[in-house]
Amino acid sequence: MDRIRDYLLRALAMTKSCVVVMKYTKDEPVTRTKLEFISENVEQLGMNLASLKGGFRLPKDYIHPEDRNGFIDAVSIAAETQANFTYRLRLAGDDGVIRNVDVSSEYVDYDADYYMIEYVFQEIAQPVETAPSETLKTKDSIGRILTKDVLADEALGEFFGLFAKAYGLYSTIVDQDGHSIFPPVGPEAYLGYYYDMFERPENQEQFESIKRSALMQEEAVYMELRNDGNPDSRISAVPIMVCGLHLATWILCSHDKSQTAALRLASREQYRLGELISGYIQRAIMAGRRSNREKELEKQLEFEHKQIKALAELNDIIREDKADGLYRILKQAAGLLDVSYALLTRRKSGRDSAEMPEVYYSLTGDIPHEINYEGFSEEERIQIQTEGYVVDRKSMTNRIRVSVFQGLTRAAIIVPVRITDEVVGKLVFLETRRERVWTESEINFAKHIAKMIGECITYIETAGSKKSGGNELLGIFHQLTINLFIKENETGRVLFANEAMNRNLGMDFVGQDSRRMIPDGKEDYESYPRTLLESQEPQQSIRKWRRYINELGGIYDVTEIPMEWIDGSAATAVLLRIAQD
């Protein structure tokens, strides 16, 4: 058990996660709670384990004051609905660090009086919504973020070190706060002391002076070293500037007369070399940006090509008389957008909140969670009904995350589905697996799919109406006492025969080639004067003629009436009356 416990603790530490279980009393406010369990690695998130276990503090006390009330409201909703949710917030640790954290909750029914909620706190790298005072405001702050990404190249550090070794000097690259980015290099006799000197708080004032001077002059800063007790110690420093930002300071140092003489020579080249390295890094960054833009453009063009192909295929699906047309459209669209769910919601009870999935596609096969449209503001609901609503990593708020999507969705596109300008439903794409930002191409594609679904619904309902009307018409034909059948224009195949016709020729008449019994009749039609109607397009006109029909054993007046069969294909109704004169 100890091995399993240690393994779990290591796993939690690796994922920067900790587990908290809180016990709540039913029918009491969620603020009345008791700590049931907490994993011992909470200190990695800045919480004091002894204080929590001793009952002096609760985990919620570590939540940033601006996020605390919203989280408590989310817990109240979860307690009432017994729902699970995910909430993004900031933790203000005892170590003074503000951490961005995702809190996943799971409701557990305990007994008649109590219930528990299990929380997993996981630190995330992405920034959350912060107050304006906490946003980056200076180039210096931006430089701090870029320094490690840009300069964390071992080959670059080795280059600086080789230059220093060539002169027998000590070298390091330090960030804006004077902390080494690469391990210092130089003579071993002074290496430990040199490193320690730049880390000590009492030397920060000198470093700030060096940094200010390096930024103000167009040559290396050359000055005495303070606080080392050696009158021969000297320092030379140049700034590393990239895209106008001060990322780091390159420092060379000497500790005796021979090293100081070498430093005087090296410092003359140091500034120029620092400029060249800064320019090299800047060009590499710009080239990387161009490469990224090219990759993004290539990715966008590939997606748009797939869009065109998919839209053509989906257009064919609309015209097919198959019951799964809407599902196939959703499946293809979801695959192209790479989302967890695609669903068509339709109003069932006259209220948006009651809209339920009528058709859906699920990547994992499970049922998509319900969307609470009442959780949107009035302005947002209007936007959904008019132009659609898009939410992703850039725009997701805790209010939307919890009140609309129950903490289960990380990005969504909601587009109205219209038929002749009337909104009949909503097309929804949900992503629950990862954070993402929708591209303009993806949003436009979703709108195209919504339009296609509107067309598909129209086609299905129209075809259904035609089938219903056609069936009623066939019922009337059965009541007629004259012989009547319907043939397919292209093949002459009999599609339908009324009861009178079936009595005379048998039930197997349907499906046969009607032209064996009655040819097209054009030769007889020309000699028969009583044409009821002839339009400018003869193939659409009502035709009538008289002929002897062997199968019926008599002379009949034949009337052909153009019509549309139930499936929409061209057909002709043929009426046969026994000749009276």
Side-chain angles (χ1 to χ4, degrees), residues 104-169:
S104 300
S105 81
E106 183 170 348
Y107 180 94
V108 180
D109 201 10
Y110 190 67
D111 59 25
D113 298 320
Y114 298 96
Y115 62 92
M116 291 189 294
I117 298 182
E118 299 175 357
Y119 302 97
V120 177
F121 289 70
Q122 183 171 20
E123 187 174 359
I124 55 175
Q126 296 94 334
V128 297
E129 302 164 48
T130 56
S133 60
E134 296 175 5
T135 57
L136 297 176
K137 296 180 179 179
T138 64
K139 287 186 176 181
D140 191 50
S141 299
I142 300 172
R144 280 182 167 82
I145 294 174
L146 291 177
T147 298
K148 291 185 178 180
D149 292 336
V150 173
L151 294 177
D153 185 339
E154 292 182 3
L156 189 61
E158 185 178 358
F159 174 81
F160 286 118
L162 289 173
F163 178 84
K165 286 180 180 179
Y167 285 92
L169 300 172

Side-chain angles (χ1 to χ4, degrees), residues 45 103 106 126 140 176 215 226 327 329 387 390:
L45 297 180
V103 182
E106 183 170 348
Q126 296 94 334
D140 191 50
Q176 290 90 331
L215 292 172
R226 305 173 192 167
Y327 172 80
I329 291 175
E387 61 191 67
V390 176

Side-chain angles (χ1 to χ4, degrees), residues 176-435:
Q176 290 90 331
D177 300 314
H179 303 309
S180 294
I181 298 173
F182 302 106
V185 296
E188 294 182 359
Y190 297 101
L191 191 58
Y193 167 76
Y194 172 73
Y195 177 81
D196 187 54
M197 177 189 66
F198 280 95
E199 293 294 333
R200 288 178 179 173
E202 58 266 28
N203 292 308
Q204 286 298 304
E205 182 181 347
Q206 182 180 21
F207 172 73
E208 290 298 327
S209 174
I210 293 171
K211 186 169 68 173
R212 286 194 301 270
S213 299
L215 292 172
M216 293 174 60
Q217 59 190 49
E218 296 183 357
E219 61 181 0
V221 174
Y222 186 85
M223 63 173 65
E224 293 183 4
L225 266 174
R226 305 173 192 167
N227 303 322
D228 74 336
N230 186 348
D232 296 321
S233 295
R234 298 291 185 273
I235 190 170
S236 177
V238 296
I240 303 298
M241 306 289 294
V242 175
C243 300
L245 301 176
H246 176 218
L247 298 190
T249 304
W250 179 22
I251 293 176
L252 295 175
C253 188
S254 65
H255 287 88
D256 57 37
K257 289 183 179 180
S258 62
Q259 290 177 7
T260 298
L263 181 62
R264 287 184 180 276
L265 294 174
S267 64
R268 298 172 186 173
E269 304 297 332
Q270 184 185 9
Y271 186 83
R272 177 57 182 157
L273 193 57
E275 280 189 323
L276 292 173
I277 291 172
S278 297
Y280 170 80
I281 294 173
Q282 182 164 323
R283 286 192 296 274
I285 290 174
M286 299 307 293
R289 288 178 179 173
R290 284 195 297 271
S291 176
N292 288 336
R293 284 198 298 269
E294 290 169 358
K295 289 179 181 177
E296 286 299 319
L297 180 59
E298 182 179 340
K299 184 178 179 181
Q300 180 179 342
L301 291 174
E302 181 182 0
F303 178 76
E304 291 177 352
H305 175 73
K306 290 180 178 177
Q307 275 190 59
I308 295 171
K309 182 179 178 182
L311 291 173
E313 293 174 355
L314 296 178
N315 193 56
D316 292 337
I317 291 176
I318 292 175
R319 303 296 180 262
E320 294 178 5
D321 187 18
K322 293 185 178 179
D324 65 345
L326 285 173
Y327 172 80
R328 291 164 64 196
I329 291 175
L330 292 178
K331 181 179 179 180
Q332 288 205 32
L336 190 56
L337 289 173
D338 188 22
V339 294
S340 305
Y341 303 97
L343 49 146
L344 169 66
T345 64
R346 302 286 292 273
R347 185 177 296 109
K348 299 299 181 183
S349 61
R351 297 182 60 192
D352 279 356
S353 59
E355 285 197 10
M356 297 295 291
E358 182 173 289
V359 182
Y360 70 87
Y361 168 76
S362 169
L363 181 67
T364 58
D366 57 341
I367 301 174
H369 61 81
E370 183 179 351
I371 301 171
N372 177 27
Y373 288 102
E374 289 298 315
F376 287 113
S377 65
E378 181 64 25
E379 182 180 353
E380 289 166 338
R381 287 197 291 270
I382 293 173
Q383 182 180 344
I384 291 172
Q385 291 290 106
T386 54
E387 61 191 67
Y389 183 83
V390 176
V391 62
D392 54 23
R393 178 168 58 82
K394 289 186 175 181
S395 56
M396 179 72 80
T397 65
N398 280 324
R399 175 181 64 83
I400 297 297
R401 188 190 308 274
V402 174
S403 62
V404 176
F405 300 113
Q406 293 81 55
L408 302 174
T409 292
R410 300 188 179 187
I413 298 177
I414 305 175
V415 188
V417 176
R418 293 185 173 88
I419 297 178
T420 60
D421 294 331
E422 179 186 357
V423 177
V424 297
K426 298 180 181 70
L427 171 65
V428 184
F429 294 103
L430 300 177
E431 178 53 61
T432 62
R433 299 165 296 170
R434 67 190 189 282
E435 303 285 349

